[in-house]
Amino acid sequence: MYTTLKEACFEANRQLPKLGLVLFTFGNVSAVDRDRAVFAIKPSGVPYDDLKPDDIVVCDYEGRVVEGALRPSSDTKTHALLYKTWADIGGITHTHSTYAVAWAQAGLDIPIFGTTHADHTHHDIPCAPTLTDEMIQGDYEHETGHQIVNFFTDRQLSHKTVEMVLLQHHGPFTWGDTAEKSVYNAAVLEEIARMAYLTLQLNADTARIKDTLRLKHYERKHGKDAYYGQGC
Amino acid sequence: MYTTLKEACFEANRQLPKLGLVLFTFGNVSAVDRDRAVFAIKPSGVPYDDLKPDDIVVCDYEGRVVEGALRPSSDTKTHALLYKTWADIGGITHTHSTYAVAWAQAGLDIPIFGTTHADHTHHDIPCAPTLTDEMIQGDYEHETGHQIVNFFTDRQLSHKTVEMVLLQHHGPFTWGDTAEKSVYNAAVLEEIARMAYLTLQLNADTARIKDTLRLKHYERKHGKDAYYGQGC
Amino acid sequence: MYTTLKEACFEANRQLPKLGLVLFTFGNVSAVDRDRAVFAIKPSGVPYDDLKPDDIVVCDYEGRVVEGALRPSSDTKTHALLYKTWADIGGITHTHSTYAVAWAQAGLDIPIFGTTHADHTHHDIPCAPTLTDEMIQGDYEHETGHQIVNFFTDRQLSHKTVEMVLLQHHGPFTWGDTAEKSVYNAAVLEEIARMAYLTLQLNADTARIKDTLRLKHYERKHGKDAYYGQGC
Amino acid sequence: MYTTLKEACFEANRQLPKLGLVLFTFGNVSAVDRDRAVFAIKPSGVPYDDLKPDDIVVCDYEGRVVEGALRPSSDTKTHALLYKTWADIGGITHTHSTYAVAWAQAGLDIPIFGTTHADHTHHDIPCAPTLTDEMIQGDYEHETGHQIVNFFTDRQLSHKTVEMVLLQHHGPFTWGDTAEKSVYNAAVLEEIARMAYLTLQLNADTARIKDTLRLKHYERKHGKDAYYGQGC
């Protein structure tokens, strides 16, 4: 019944090891079907090499299984909360990619140092603080979603212009119009994280990219007069 | 006679180069058969590409060869001592993987900075001190096993919750319920070591993950109410 | 009509992912035909795996499309200006390769520390400053070309002996007698950038290679009595 | 006439890109035939992918071509001098591998921090100083050989127990009983260089491995009672 959705989710998950973003089972991608108000997500703990389209689990926005024989990702409720709150996103990726995790563990926003970063967002990549003890000991994965959403509200960030976040002492979540785009963002984030790391090792006092260049690169790719790509 | 055991040992050894954990012959995996009180181990100095299941050597818990035409790994007596002492482990892996060795050479425990680490153990990865001169000049590999076991006792660590150790100025040993699991742990350790390295380069004063989050991640995967994976 | 030129451009572009110099579409190579005063360049935003020779776009020295159904690289006007100004170059490569970008983001010239560097140029790899706000808000990609050319003039550098530049907060441009050679230079630059990075981490006070050795290595490969290679 | 020698040289050269030790043509391996007092070496500037056994050049101990249509490596005279002086080596490898070059550029010996290092030599990896201006401006590659040999004499190092050297501001040379062994040593050196780099980043005050452990590991692999490997 959800064949196309599960295929899209399967294909997006398969990109993670190809892009070097996961070791073993340390990641998951989901894809949403807005018409039916369900999303497909990787089953928990299944190695990417063994994964088949039929293994993909379909859940509703409360994270309850709608279709599938396997247990969904342990992070399912985080995906559910994000889909429920941000009605215009189509896919979500969570990884433990190395450099993004390093920044998350260090508890630091990734400063916007260059055009590689500005091509994708004109903000620092934000690092949300660790959840409170109450949140962790409560409905943890659900609260993780709340933490991300509330953090974006507090920081006055739009999830449309910043499609990625670090969770302190944990790692990255990314999203986008499709599951495939959320995986793309996960790979971009890892590369931005690596470049910023190396930049600070070379010069701990590196200044951020200046405003005009920052906005120029973002706008030429995402603005209303964008001229990057084939316009489709 | 030990065909299945040797096959399991062979397959686990073959994972080491695939996972990027060894250069040339710098590593070895063993698998134990508790019923027969023997373990199978890689022969010494044989390149992984040339290795055949039949080359695997079978030894008893004193490290004496029971079956096999080749000389077993020079680290055999370390494996033997660990199997003899810890009756509930099924496999052991020793590598010289890059980041784990760097921490071992620096003589430092790997602090628990994030959930990637806490998903696998809720302790820092401990670094056991170099053996005494007497131990090194005595039955060195046997004493290496003693050093690991005694270190765990002194530190009041359980080998069931911490399935890995660094030996100062040497490198990592990992173990698990099976040989395959011990290789998995070797790969996880290398990634944890790399992430912690990068984290400290970004922020030398990084605090450890807080207790609630540390325990939450360990328990959701290993606790009695674990909900990670497919429960099998 | 431009089949050979487009093929050369296509083949050179395909080298970028093989050499590990690009993630997704973050780079472009062009090849010039001096007789016809046109150059072929990668279309904007097309993944390297999907790229076909027929997708390559042909432009004149003002960056106007002469042949091709797709929109050319957003950096086309930078290429155009460089071809127009430096009449003896045959190909240009732009990437966001990791270590070169790190140096560009840090805003630092890459000091000439060894023979790997001196085999290719006897100067530090220069880092041109970010464009002024007026340049960025004007005809940005065209002005980027001007910035490179003027910077070489101000620094009294020859584009024949230094076939590469970093643009601050952005990344590298390289060029050469052919498109293929410009890709070669992009790969060499990335490796030089990585070696220099590691060198400074080991010893922040590392001195540059001394003059005699610097010139010896450059001359034995590029001087009039060069004896490196097969002389063809 | 030198078919076997050229094949051995060819095969050893082909290992360099497989082991990740060279970019483009930045390296060369030679193999000696002591009975005929000649050695085979890679031709200069030929990409490894294009290399055929027949392209290999045979030279005498003065570096003069004995057989072969192509020009030999520009480093041929360094190889010649080493073969002439050290009558018991069988092969030589020169690379610009990344971490070894970083240490050479920094002008530092690689301290012996662990057993990975001690398994191969019980000394720090020595870094020979840059040649004098007279040597560089004279018969440079010949003098490079002299510099290595004299440096070993001055430091009272044996080329049988230390089969590798760094040349300041340049990179590594390694040697061994065979060409294949010299390539093995080049790969080992690169890994030791990388591990030592990471170790110092973690702890700048790391102490060397203690003497008993250093000698134990070297002797169990290379001593008269060695028990590592299969004894053949």
Side-chain angles (χ1 to χ4, degrees):
Chain A
M1 188 169 160
Y2 299 101
T3 310
T4 309
L5 183 67
K6 284 155 76 174
E7 277 284 353
C9 175
F10 170 75
E11 289 300 337
N13 271 287
R14 296 270 289 181
Q15 288 303 309
L16 293 186
K18 286 184 193 167
L19 288 164
L21 298 175
V22 293
L23 177 67
F24 299 122
T25 59
F26 307 178
N28 46 72
V29 186
S30 66
V32 79
D33 179 332
R34 289 294 177 186
D35 291 335
R36 308 205 225 181
V38 296
F39 64 94
I41 192 165
K42 184 179 173 293
S44 184
V46 175
Y48 290 95
D49 278 354
D50 300 345
L51 195 65
K52 294 182 297 293
D54 238 28
D55 296 336
I56 300 295
V57 186
V58 179
C59 299
D60 66 19
Y61 294 172
E62 305 303 322
R64 291 173 298 221
V65 174
V66 170
E67 183 180 289
L70 298 175
R71 191 187 285 172
S73 165
S74 54
D75 298 308
T76 295
K77 285 190 180 174
T78 308
H79 292 243
L81 190 285
L82 294 180
Y83 283 127
K84 194 172 172 180
T85 313
W86 292 337
D88 48 7
I89 63 172
I92 298 170
T93 295
H94 172 50
T95 79
H96 287 235
S97 68
T98 312
Y99 284 84
V101 165
W103 281 91
Q105 292 190 159
L108 298 170
D109 293 356
I110 306 177
I112 182 162
F113 285 136
T115 59
T116 321
H117 185 139
D119 281 339
H120 295 91
T121 177
H122 42 44
H123 292 273
D124 290 356
I125 311 298
C127 181
T130 302
L131 282 62
T132 64
D133 290 349
E134 289 67 31
M135 293 169 86
I136 293 167
Q137 291 167 332
D139 193 356
Y140 170 60
E141 291 83 7
H142 181 74
E143 295 291 354
T144 298
H146 273 306
Q147 182 79 348
I148 293 170
V149 167
N150 293 338
F151 175 69
F152 265 60
T153 304
D154 292 350
R155 284 265 195 115
Q156 300 185 282
L157 290 171
S158 158
H159 67 274
K160 296 303 282 181
T161 50
V162 184
E163 299 183 319
M164 46 189 74
V165 71
L166 303 174
L167 268 169
Q168 192 182 9
H169 293 300
H170 189 158
F173 280 83
T174 60
W175 50 86
D177 289 344
T178 62
E180 188 184 3
K181 183 68 194 311
S182 72
V183 172
Y184 172 92
N185 284 335
V188 167
L189 169 55
E190 179 64 7
E191 182 64 5
I192 288 172
R194 192 172 161 219
M195 286 172 168
Y197 169 88
L198 296 171
T199 301
L200 286 182
Q201 298 292 310
L202 281 170
N203 179 2
D205 300 318
T206 298
R208 283 176 177 72
I209 188 173
K210 69 176 175 176
D211 284 352
T212 45
L213 187 56
R214 182 171 62 83
L215 295 172
K216 174 68 192 175
H217 268 262
Y218 187 72
E219 293 297 329
R220 79 173 192 170
K221 202 160 175 176
H222 305 280
K224 66 174 166 37
D225 299 321
Y227 52 93
Y228 183 95
Q230 299 301 328
C232 53
Chain B
M1 189 170 159
Y2 299 102
T3 310
T4 310
L5 184 66
K6 284 155 76 174
E7 277 283 352
C9 176
F10 170 75
E11 290 300 336
N13 270 287
R14 295 272 289 182
Q15 288 302 310
L16 293 186
K18 285 184 193 167
L19 288 164
L21 299 174
V22 293
L23 177 68
F24 299 122
T25 61
F26 306 179
N28 45 73
V29 186
S30 66
V32 78
D33 179 333
R34 290 293 177 187
D35 291 335
R36 307 204 226 181
V38 296
F39 64 94
I41 192 165
K42 185 179 171 293
S44 184
V46 175
Y48 290 94
D49 277 354
D50 300 346
L51 195 65
K52 294 182 298 291
D54 238 29
D55 295 336
I56 300 296
V57 186
V58 179
C59 299
D60 66 18
Y61 295 171
E62 304 305 321
R64 291 172 300 221
V65 175
V66 170
E67 183 180 288
L70 298 175
R71 189 186 286 172
S73 165
S74 54
D75 299 308
T76 295
K77 284 189 178 174
T78 308
H79 293 243
L81 191 284
L82 293 180
Y83 283 126
K84 194 172 172 180
T85 313
W86 292 337
D88 49 7
I89 63 172
I92 298 170
T93 295
H94 172 49
T95 78
H96 286 234
S97 67
T98 312
Y99 283 84
V101 165
W103 281 92
Q105 292 190 157
L108 298 170
D109 293 356
I110 305 177
I112 182 163
F113 286 137
T115 59
T116 321
H117 185 139
D119 280 338
H120 295 91
T121 178
H122 42 43
H123 292 272
D124 290 355
I125 311 297
C127 181
T130 303
L131 283 61
T132 64
D133 289 350
E134 290 66 34
M135 294 170 85
I136 293 166
Q137 291 167 335
D139 194 355
Y140 171 60
E141 291 82 7
H142 181 74
E143 296 291 355
T144 298
H146 272 308
Q147 183 78 348
I148 293 170
V149 167
N150 293 338
F151 175 70
F152 266 60
T153 305
D154 293 350
R155 283 265 194 115
Q156 300 183 282
L157 290 171
S158 159
H159 67 274
K160 295 303 282 181
T161 49
V162 184
E163 298 183 319
M164 46 189 75
V165 71
L166 303 175
L167 268 169
Q168 192 182 9
H169 292 300
H170 189 157
F173 280 84
T174 60
W175 49 86
D177 290 344
T178 61
E180 188 184 3
K181 183 69 195 309
S182 72
V183 172
Y184 172 92
N185 284 334
V188 166
L189 169 54
E190 179 65 6
E191 182 64 5
I192 288 172
R194 191 172 163 221
M195 286 172 168
Y197 170 88
L198 296 171
T199 301
L200 287 181
Q201 298 293 310
L202 279 171
N203 179 2
D205 299 319
T206 298
R208 283 175 177 74
I209 187 174
K210 69 176 175 176
D211 284 352
T212 44
L213 186 58
R214 182 170 62 83
L215 295 173
K216 173 69 192 176
H217 269 262
Y218 187 72
E219 293 298 327
R220 79 173 192 170
K221 200 159 175 176
H222 305 280
K224 66 173 166 39
D225 298 321
Y227 51 93
Y228 183 96
Q230 300 300 328
C232 54
Chain C
M1 188 169 159
Y2 299 103
T3 310
T4 309
L5 183 66
K6 285 155 75 174
E7 276 283 354
C9 175
F10 169 76
E11 289 300 338
N13 270 288
R14 296 271 289 183
Q15 289 302 309
L16 293 186
K18 285 184 194 167
L19 288 163
L21 298 174
V22 293
L23 176 69
F24 299 121
T25 60
F26 308 178
N28 45 73
V29 186
S30 66
V32 78
D33 180 332
R34 288 295 177 185
D35 291 336
R36 307 205 226 182
V38 296
F39 64 94
I41 192 163
K42 184 179 173 295
S44 183
V46 175
Y48 289 94
D49 277 354
D50 300 344
L51 195 65
K52 295 182 296 291
D54 238 28
D55 295 336
I56 301 295
V57 186
V58 179
C59 299
D60 66 19
Y61 293 172
E62 305 303 323
R64 290 173 299 221
V65 175
V66 170
E67 183 180 289
L70 298 175
R71 190 187 286 173
S73 164
S74 54
D75 298 309
T76 296
K77 285 190 180 176
T78 308
H79 291 244
L81 191 284
L82 293 179
Y83 283 127
K84 193 172 174 182
T85 312
W86 292 337
D88 49 7
I89 63 172
I92 298 170
T93 295
H94 172 49
T95 78
H96 287 235
S97 68
T98 312
Y99 284 84
V101 164
W103 281 92
Q105 292 189 159
L108 298 170
D109 293 356
I110 305 177
I112 182 163
F113 285 136
T115 59
T116 321
H117 185 139
D119 280 339
H120 295 92
T121 178
H122 42 43
H123 292 273
D124 291 355
I125 311 299
C127 181
T130 302
L131 282 62
T132 63
D133 290 347
E134 289 67 33
M135 293 170 84
I136 293 167
Q137 291 168 332
D139 194 356
Y140 171 60
E141 291 82 6
H142 181 74
E143 296 291 355
T144 298
H146 272 307
Q147 182 79 345
I148 294 171
V149 167
N150 293 338
F151 175 69
F152 266 59
T153 304
D154 292 349
R155 283 263 195 117
Q156 298 185 284
L157 291 170
S158 159
H159 68 275
K160 297 302 283 181
T161 50
V162 183
E163 298 183 320
M164 47 190 73
V165 71
L166 303 175
L167 268 169
Q168 191 182 8
H169 293 301
H170 189 158
F173 281 83
T174 61
W175 50 86
D177 289 345
T178 61
E180 188 184 3
K181 183 69 194 311
S182 71
V183 172
Y184 172 93
N185 284 335
V188 167
L189 169 54
E190 178 64 6
E191 182 64 6
I192 289 172
R194 191 172 161 218
M195 287 172 167
Y197 170 89
L198 296 171
T199 301
L200 286 182
Q201 298 291 311
L202 280 171
N203 180 1
D205 299 318
T206 298
R208 283 176 177 72
I209 188 174
K210 71 176 174 176
D211 284 352
T212 46
L213 186 57
R214 182 170 62 83
L215 295 173
K216 174 68 192 175
H217 268 262
Y218 188 72
E219 294 297 328
R220 79 173 192 169
K221 202 159 176 178
H222 305 281
K224 67 173 165 38
D225 299 320
Y227 52 92
Y228 183 95
Q230 300 300 328
C232 54
Chain D
M1 189 170 159
Y2 299 103
T3 310
T4 310
L5 183 66
K6 285 155 77 174
E7 277 283 353
C9 176
F10 169 76
E11 289 300 337
N13 271 288
R14 295 272 289 182
Q15 288 303 309
L16 293 186
K18 285 183 195 169
L19 288 163
L21 298 173
V22 292
L23 176 68
F24 299 122
T25 61
F26 307 179
N28 45 74
V29 186
S30 65
V32 79
D33 179 333
R34 289 293 178 188
D35 291 336
R36 307 204 226 181
V38 296
F39 64 94
I41 193 165
K42 184 180 173 294
S44 184
V46 175
Y48 289 94
D49 277 353
D50 300 345
L51 196 65
K52 295 181 297 292
D54 239 28
D55 295 335
I56 301 295
V57 186
V58 179
C59 299
D60 66 19
Y61 293 171
E62 304 304 321
R64 290 173 300 221
V65 174
V66 170
E67 184 179 288
L70 298 175
R71 190 186 284 173
S73 164
S74 54
D75 298 308
T76 295
K77 284 189 179 174
T78 307
H79 293 243
L81 191 283
L82 294 179
Y83 283 126
K84 194 173 173 180
T85 312
W86 292 338
D88 48 7
I89 62 172
I92 298 169
T93 295
H94 172 50
T95 77
H96 286 235
S97 67
T98 312
Y99 283 84
V101 164
W103 281 91
Q105 292 190 157
L108 299 170
D109 294 355
I110 305 177
I112 182 163
F113 286 135
T115 59
T116 321
H117 185 139
D119 281 339
H120 295 91
T121 178
H122 42 43
H123 292 272
D124 290 354
I125 311 298
C127 181
T130 302
L131 283 61
T132 64
D133 289 349
E134 289 67 32
M135 294 170 85
I136 292 166
Q137 291 168 334
D139 194 356
Y140 170 61
E141 291 83 7
H142 181 74
E143 297 291 355
T144 298
H146 272 307
Q147 182 79 348
I148 293 170
V149 167
N150 292 338
F151 175 69
F152 266 59
T153 305
D154 291 350
R155 283 264 195 116
Q156 299 185 283
L157 292 170
S158 159
H159 67 274
K160 296 302 283 180
T161 49
V162 184
E163 298 183 319
M164 47 189 75
V165 71
L166 302 175
L167 268 170
Q168 191 182 8
H169 292 301
H170 189 156
F173 281 84
T174 61
W175 49 88
D177 290 345
T178 61
E180 188 184 2
K181 183 69 194 308
S182 71
V183 172
Y184 172 91
N185 284 334
V188 167
L189 169 55
E190 178 65 6
E191 182 64 6
I192 289 171
R194 191 172 161 220
M195 286 173 167
Y197 169 89
L198 296 171
T199 302
L200 287 181
Q201 298 292 311
L202 280 171
N203 179 1
D205 299 319
T206 298
R208 283 175 176 73
I209 187 173
K210 70 177 175 175
D211 283 352
T212 45
L213 186 57
R214 182 171 61 84
L215 294 172
K216 174 68 191 176
H217 268 262
Y218 187 72
E219 293 298 328
R220 79 173 191 169
K221 200 158 175 177
H222 305 280
K224 66 173 166 39
D225 298 321
Y227 52 93
Y228 183 96
Q230 299 301 327
C232 55

Short mmCIF file of all heavy atoms in Angstrom, two decimals, chain C residues 100-131:
data_model
loop_
_atom_site.label_atom_id
_atom_site.label_comp_id
_atom_site.label_asym_id
_atom_site.label_seq_id
_atom_site.Cartn_x
_atom_site.Cartn_y
_atom_site.Cartn_z
N ALA C 100 42.14 23.04 0.74
CA ALA C 100 42.34 24.33 0.07
C ALA C 100 41.31 25.34 0.58
O ALA C 100 41.64 26.50 0.83
CB ALA C 100 42.23 24.15 -1.44
N VAL C 101 40.07 24.88 0.77
CA VAL C 101 39.04 25.76 1.31
C VAL C 101 39.39 26.20 2.74
O VAL C 101 39.19 27.36 3.12
CB VAL C 101 37.65 25.09 1.27
CG1 VAL C 101 36.65 25.82 2.17
CG2 VAL C 101 37.13 25.04 -0.16
N ALA C 102 39.92 25.27 3.53
CA ALA C 102 40.28 25.63 4.91
C ALA C 102 41.30 26.77 4.93
O ALA C 102 41.17 27.73 5.70
CB ALA C 102 40.82 24.41 5.65
N TRP C 103 42.32 26.68 4.08
CA TRP C 103 43.30 27.77 4.00
C TRP C 103 42.65 29.06 3.50
O TRP C 103 42.95 30.15 4.00
CB TRP C 103 44.45 27.38 3.06
CG TRP C 103 45.46 26.46 3.68
CD1 TRP C 103 45.45 25.09 3.65
CD2 TRP C 103 46.62 26.82 4.44
NE1 TRP C 103 46.53 24.60 4.34
CE2 TRP C 103 47.27 25.62 4.82
CE3 TRP C 103 47.19 28.04 4.83
CZ2 TRP C 103 48.45 25.61 5.58
CZ3 TRP C 103 48.36 28.03 5.58
CH2 TRP C 103 48.97 26.83 5.95
N ALA C 104 41.76 28.93 2.53
CA ALA C 104 41.06 30.12 2.00
C ALA C 104 40.19 30.75 3.07
O ALA C 104 40.16 31.97 3.22
CB ALA C 104 40.22 29.72 0.78
N GLN C 105 39.48 29.91 3.82
CA GLN C 105 38.63 30.44 4.89
C GLN C 105 39.47 31.10 5.98
O GLN C 105 39.07 32.11 6.54
CB GLN C 105 37.76 29.32 5.47
CG GLN C 105 36.71 28.84 4.48
CD GLN C 105 35.67 27.88 5.05
OE1 GLN C 105 34.60 27.74 4.48
NE2 GLN C 105 35.98 27.20 6.13
N ALA C 106 40.62 30.54 6.26
CA ALA C 106 41.52 31.14 7.25
C ALA C 106 42.20 32.40 6.71
O ALA C 106 42.80 33.16 7.47
CB ALA C 106 42.56 30.11 7.71
N GLY C 107 42.11 32.59 5.40
CA GLY C 107 42.66 33.81 4.79
C GLY C 107 44.17 33.84 4.75
O GLY C 107 44.80 34.90 4.84
N LEU C 108 44.77 32.67 4.57
CA LEU C 108 46.23 32.56 4.64
C LEU C 108 46.84 32.05 3.34
O LEU C 108 46.29 31.14 2.71
CB LEU C 108 46.61 31.58 5.76
CG LEU C 108 46.18 31.95 7.18
CD1 LEU C 108 46.41 30.76 8.12
CD2 LEU C 108 46.96 33.17 7.68
N ASP C 109 47.98 32.63 2.95
CA ASP C 109 48.81 32.03 1.90
C ASP C 109 49.32 30.68 2.42
O ASP C 109 49.56 30.52 3.62
CB ASP C 109 50.04 32.90 1.61
CG ASP C 109 49.69 34.24 0.98
OD1 ASP C 109 48.51 34.49 0.70
OD2 ASP C 109 50.63 35.04 0.79
N ILE C 110 49.52 29.74 1.53
CA ILE C 110 50.12 28.46 1.94
C ILE C 110 51.63 28.56 1.77
O ILE C 110 52.13 28.66 0.64
CB ILE C 110 49.58 27.29 1.08
CG1 ILE C 110 48.04 27.25 1.13
CG2 ILE C 110 50.17 25.96 1.55
CD1 ILE C 110 47.43 26.17 0.25
N PRO C 111 52.37 28.55 2.89
CA PRO C 111 53.83 28.73 2.80
C PRO C 111 54.48 27.54 2.08
O PRO C 111 54.00 26.40 2.19
CB PRO C 111 54.28 28.76 4.27
CG PRO C 111 53.04 28.98 5.07
CD PRO C 111 51.92 28.38 4.29
N ILE C 112 55.54 27.80 1.39
CA ILE C 112 56.24 26.75 0.65
C ILE C 112 57.20 26.02 1.59
O ILE C 112 58.30 26.48 1.89
CB ILE C 112 56.92 27.33 -0.61
CG1 ILE C 112 57.60 26.22 -1.39
CG2 ILE C 112 57.86 28.48 -0.30
CD1 ILE C 112 57.94 26.61 -2.83
N PHE C 113 56.77 24.89 2.07
CA PHE C 113 57.50 24.15 3.10
C PHE C 113 58.36 23.00 2.54
O PHE C 113 59.19 22.47 3.28
CB PHE C 113 56.52 23.54 4.11
CG PHE C 113 55.92 24.53 5.07
CD1 PHE C 113 54.57 24.49 5.37
CD2 PHE C 113 56.72 25.49 5.69
CE1 PHE C 113 54.01 25.39 6.28
CE2 PHE C 113 56.16 26.39 6.60
CZ PHE C 113 54.81 26.34 6.89
N GLY C 114 58.12 22.60 1.30
CA GLY C 114 58.88 21.43 0.87
C GLY C 114 58.92 21.25 -0.64
O GLY C 114 58.40 22.08 -1.40
N THR C 115 59.55 20.15 -1.05
CA THR C 115 59.79 19.91 -2.47
C THR C 115 58.51 19.51 -3.21
O THR C 115 58.42 19.75 -4.42
CB THR C 115 60.84 18.81 -2.65
OG1 THR C 115 60.37 17.60 -2.03
CG2 THR C 115 62.17 19.22 -2.06
N THR C 116 57.54 18.92 -2.52
CA THR C 116 56.27 18.59 -3.18
C THR C 116 55.66 19.87 -3.74
O THR C 116 55.13 19.89 -4.85
CB THR C 116 55.28 17.94 -2.19
OG1 THR C 116 55.98 17.07 -1.32
CG2 THR C 116 54.18 17.20 -2.91
N HIS C 117 55.73 20.91 -2.95
CA HIS C 117 55.24 22.24 -3.34
C HIS C 117 56.15 22.83 -4.43
O HIS C 117 55.67 23.27 -5.49
CB HIS C 117 55.20 23.11 -2.08
CG HIS C 117 54.61 24.47 -2.24
ND1 HIS C 117 53.79 25.03 -1.30
CD2 HIS C 117 54.74 25.41 -3.20
CE1 HIS C 117 53.43 26.26 -1.69
NE2 HIS C 117 54.00 26.50 -2.84
N ALA C 118 57.45 22.81 -4.18
CA ALA C 118 58.41 23.45 -5.10
C ALA C 118 58.48 22.75 -6.45
O ALA C 118 58.89 23.36 -7.45
CB ALA C 118 59.81 23.48 -4.45
N ASP C 119 58.08 21.50 -6.51
CA ASP C 119 58.02 20.82 -7.80
C ASP C 119 56.98 21.46 -8.73
O ASP C 119 57.01 21.24 -9.94
CB ASP C 119 57.63 19.33 -7.61
CG ASP C 119 58.81 18.48 -7.18
OD1 ASP C 119 59.97 18.87 -7.39
OD2 ASP C 119 58.56 17.39 -6.61
N HIS C 120 56.06 22.23 -8.14
CA HIS C 120 54.97 22.77 -8.94
C HIS C 120 54.97 24.27 -9.06
O HIS C 120 54.47 24.82 -10.05
CB HIS C 120 53.63 22.26 -8.37
CG HIS C 120 53.52 20.78 -8.52
ND1 HIS C 120 53.92 19.91 -7.54
CD2 HIS C 120 53.12 20.00 -9.56
CE1 HIS C 120 53.76 18.66 -7.98
NE2 HIS C 120 53.28 18.69 -9.18
N THR C 121 55.48 24.95 -8.06
CA THR C 121 55.63 26.41 -8.15
C THR C 121 56.67 26.80 -7.11
O THR C 121 56.79 26.14 -6.08
CB THR C 121 54.31 27.16 -7.90
OG1 THR C 121 54.58 28.57 -7.96
CG2 THR C 121 53.71 26.84 -6.53
N HIS C 122 57.42 27.87 -7.38
CA HIS C 122 58.42 28.25 -6.36
C HIS C 122 57.94 29.40 -5.47
O HIS C 122 58.73 30.05 -4.81
CB HIS C 122 59.79 28.56 -6.98
CG HIS C 122 59.77 29.34 -8.25
ND1 HIS C 122 58.96 30.42 -8.41
CD2 HIS C 122 60.46 29.20 -9.40
CE1 HIS C 122 59.16 30.93 -9.63
NE2 HIS C 122 60.05 30.20 -10.25
N HIS C 123 56.62 29.61 -5.44
CA HIS C 123 56.04 30.64 -4.58
C HIS C 123 55.09 30.02 -3.56
O HIS C 123 54.58 28.92 -3.77
CB HIS C 123 55.24 31.63 -5.44
CG HIS C 123 56.08 32.46 -6.34
ND1 HIS C 123 56.65 33.64 -5.96
CD2 HIS C 123 56.47 32.26 -7.63
CE1 HIS C 123 57.34 34.15 -6.97
NE2 HIS C 123 57.26 33.33 -8.00
N ASP C 124 54.83 30.78 -2.48
CA ASP C 124 53.70 30.42 -1.64
C ASP C 124 52.44 30.41 -2.51
O ASP C 124 52.37 31.15 -3.50
CB ASP C 124 53.50 31.47 -0.52
CG ASP C 124 54.62 31.47 0.51
OD1 ASP C 124 55.51 30.59 0.44
OD2 ASP C 124 54.60 32.36 1.39
N ILE C 125 51.46 29.59 -2.13
CA ILE C 125 50.18 29.65 -2.86
C ILE C 125 49.44 30.87 -2.33
O ILE C 125 49.11 30.94 -1.14
CB ILE C 125 49.31 28.40 -2.62
CG1 ILE C 125 50.11 27.12 -2.82
CG2 ILE C 125 48.06 28.44 -3.50
CD1 ILE C 125 50.68 26.91 -4.18
N PRO C 126 49.19 31.85 -3.18
CA PRO C 126 48.65 33.12 -2.67
C PRO C 126 47.15 33.05 -2.41
O PRO C 126 46.42 32.35 -3.10
CB PRO C 126 48.95 34.10 -3.81
CG PRO C 126 48.94 33.26 -5.04
CD PRO C 126 49.42 31.88 -4.63
N CYS C 127 46.74 33.79 -1.38
CA CYS C 127 45.32 33.89 -1.04
C CYS C 127 44.85 35.33 -1.31
O CYS C 127 45.27 36.26 -0.62
CB CYS C 127 45.11 33.53 0.43
SG CYS C 127 43.38 33.60 0.94
N ALA C 128 44.02 35.50 -2.32
CA ALA C 128 43.51 36.83 -2.68
C ALA C 128 42.41 37.25 -1.71
O ALA C 128 41.60 36.42 -1.31
CB ALA C 128 42.95 36.81 -4.09
N PRO C 129 42.39 38.52 -1.32
CA PRO C 129 41.39 38.97 -0.35
C PRO C 129 39.97 38.92 -0.92
O PRO C 129 39.77 38.95 -2.14
CB PRO C 129 41.80 40.42 -0.04
CG PRO C 129 42.65 40.84 -1.19
CD PRO C 129 43.30 39.60 -1.73
N THR C 130 39.01 38.84 -0.03
CA THR C 130 37.59 38.90 -0.42
C THR C 130 37.33 40.15 -1.24
O THR C 130 37.96 41.19 -1.03
CB THR C 130 36.73 38.96 0.85
OG1 THR C 130 37.02 37.80 1.64
CG2 THR C 130 35.24 38.94 0.52
N LEU C 131 36.44 40.07 -2.18
CA LEU C 131 36.07 41.21 -3.00
C LEU C 131 35.45 42.31 -2.13
O LEU C 131 34.94 42.04 -1.05
CB LEU C 131 35.05 40.78 -4.07
CG LEU C 131 35.57 40.03 -5.30
CD1 LEU C 131 36.24 38.72 -4.93
CD2 LEU C 131 34.46 39.79 -6.31
#
